[in-house]
Amino acid sequence: MILVVAGWSYADSASIGTIALRIVICAALLQIAYFLVVLAMVALTPKPTQAQKEDPAKVQEPSARVGAGEKLTTRHTTS
């Protein structure tokens, strides 16, 4: 995105100072947008229910989804 702004500014025959200013503004807008997306993701994460808070056993951990006898490994074995 920043390269697009820089290229557009260069093609527009803008001065080096104007190109630099546009790049800084573009970078700041990208950072703000990234922050807002992460904030929205955190805000929309489901909260534990009251029952789950009282009985932590009701919270399904990722490891609880592993099938019986299934091995967790990163190695690929060939038979």
Side-chain angles (χ1 to χ4, degrees), residues 10-72:
Y10 179 76
D12 193 32
S13 301
S15 67
I16 297 296
T18 302
I19 293 173
L21 179 65
R22 288 177 180 172
I23 288 173
V24 168
I25 291 171
C26 179
L29 289 175
L30 286 172
Q31 284 295 98
I32 292 168
Y34 176 75
F35 172 77
L36 292 175
V37 167
V38 171
L39 184 66
M41 289 173 62
V42 170
L44 296 176
T45 302
K47 306 290 186 267
T49 63
Q50 187 62 30
Q52 289 172 334
K53 288 179 185 176
E54 293 170 1
D55 186 9
K58 291 185 180 180
V59 178
Q60 186 178 16
E61 296 295 326
S63 61
R65 289 183 249 145
V66 176
E70 188 176 343
K71 294 181 180 178
L72 297 177

